Amino acid sequence: EPEVTQTPSHQVTQMGQEVILRCVPISNHLYFYWYRQILGQKVEFLVSFYNNEISEKSEIFDDQFSVERPDGSNFTLKIRSTKLEDSAMYFCASSAARTANTEAFFGQGTRLTVV
Amino acid sequence: DAKTTQPTSMDCAEGRAANLPCNHSTISGNEYVYWYRQIHSQGPQYIIHGLKNNETNEMASLIITEDRKSSTLILPHATLRDTAVYYCIVRPLNQAGTALIFGKGTTLSVSS
């Protein structure tokens, strides 16, 4: 069964450093998302991406964040200068279409720890 | 914020049906009801979705009331592996996209 793959599973970085989280969406999917979940809190939407541009973003997704689809398979989330409060699980998701009738499938996440 | 209300927690005995309610009284006509679950800290797992008709798949059944103001997710024979946080989500359709907005969900504990 096709699945969304995220790497690495765990990343530790120093405060102020740049970090890139990587995702390989399901191959025929066209619509991509990033979410995060701070420990003990709810899953929060960050950004959605379609046709090589951001479709929607939340208030959390400020200038420190960026997304890119550098090639035909990868989808990345970059945090330019990490802060302690960026420590969280980051989930990538993809869906075959952008309609409300199309389910999104999530990866297993990258645990980011900022020290 | 999420447009749904769910109980914080529920318990279920292994082998019995788990019925998880969700209130979405302000749902509009073009919004779908989605259910996801999250086992421990894994990625959310899609379960089922529907618009107004009842739906069933290999994982669960979704019963939506006729007025669409509430729904129930039914796991017909709960197992210990069904212990998870279950999220009921009303999915908006707008020009920009259709992001899933998660609330706090219901923590379902299945015990033997």
Side-chain angles (χ1 to χ4, degrees):
Chain A
E1 184 175 322
E3 59 181 16
V4 176
T5 305
Q6 291 187 243
T7 56
S9 57
H10 190 186
Q11 178 147 2
V12 181
T13 189
Q14 289 201 325
M15 191 168 53
Q17 294 296 304
E18 174 183 286
V19 67
I20 297 176
L21 308 182
R22 303 181 191 279
C23 168
V24 178
I26 294 172
S27 64
N28 61 341
H29 284 189
L30 302 174
Y31 206 58
F32 315 116
Y33 312 79
W34 282 102
Y35 288 77
R36 78 172 187 190
Q37 186 175 32
I38 295 170
L39 186 64
Q41 298 186 24
K42 61 183 182 180
V43 178
E44 299 175 293
F45 169 71
L46 294 178
V47 66
S48 59
F49 190 85
Y50 172 75
N51 200 26
N52 283 320
E53 60 183 25
I54 291 173
S55 290
E56 189 178 15
K57 62 182 180 178
S58 71
E59 293 178 352
I60 303 168
F61 194 87
D62 60 21
D63 291 344
Q64 291 296 313
F65 292 91
S66 63
V67 289
E68 190 179 28
R69 188 155 163 81
D71 53 44
S73 60
N74 290 285
F75 179 52
T76 62
L77 174 69
K78 181 192 291 185
I79 308 174
R80 288 191 182 82
S81 178
T82 51
K83 303 186 281 285
L84 294 177
E85 53 265 38
D86 292 327
S87 295
M89 283 289 290
Y90 287 81
F91 296 109
C92 173
S94 70
S95 64
R98 61 188 296 180
T99 65
N101 190 27
T102 308
E103 60 269 32
F105 296 94
F106 285 76
Q108 289 306 297
T110 293
R111 179 175 299 281
L112 177 66
T113 302
V114 182
V115 296
Chain B
D1 286 336
K3 295 170 57 176
T4 62
T5 303
Q6 298 178 253
T8 302
S9 64
M10 294 184 65
D11 295 318
C12 181
E14 190 177 22
R16 303 297 294 269
N19 296 281
L20 291 92
C22 179
N23 183 291
H24 32 79
S25 58
T26 60
I27 193 170
S28 63
N30 64 347
E31 291 178 321
Y32 285 77
V33 178
Y34 274 76
W35 284 84
Y36 279 77
R37 72 181 182 183
Q38 189 175 27
I39 297 173
H40 196 48
S41 293
Q42 297 177 21
Q45 179 187 21
Y46 168 76
I47 301 174
I48 199 167
H49 73 281
L51 184 63
K52 49 186 175 182
N53 297 323
N54 298 338
E55 303 288 343
T56 296
N57 63 20
E58 65 278 4
M59 288 184 70
S61 295
L62 174 61
I63 308 298
I64 303 175
T65 58
E66 193 169 337
D67 64 7
R68 301 186 71 236
K69 292 185 177 182
S70 65
S71 61
T72 301
L73 178 75
I74 301 172
L75 308 177
H77 304 288
T79 71
L80 298 178
R81 288 176 294 182
D82 292 321
T83 293
V85 180
Y86 286 78
Y87 301 98
C88 170
I89 301 169
V90 169
R91 193 171 193 188
L93 176 62
N94 56 37
Q95 286 186 328
T98 55
L100 293 155
I101 305 300
F102 289 79
K104 295 182 179 179
T106 296
T107 299
L108 175 68
S109 299
V110 181
S111 57
S112 57

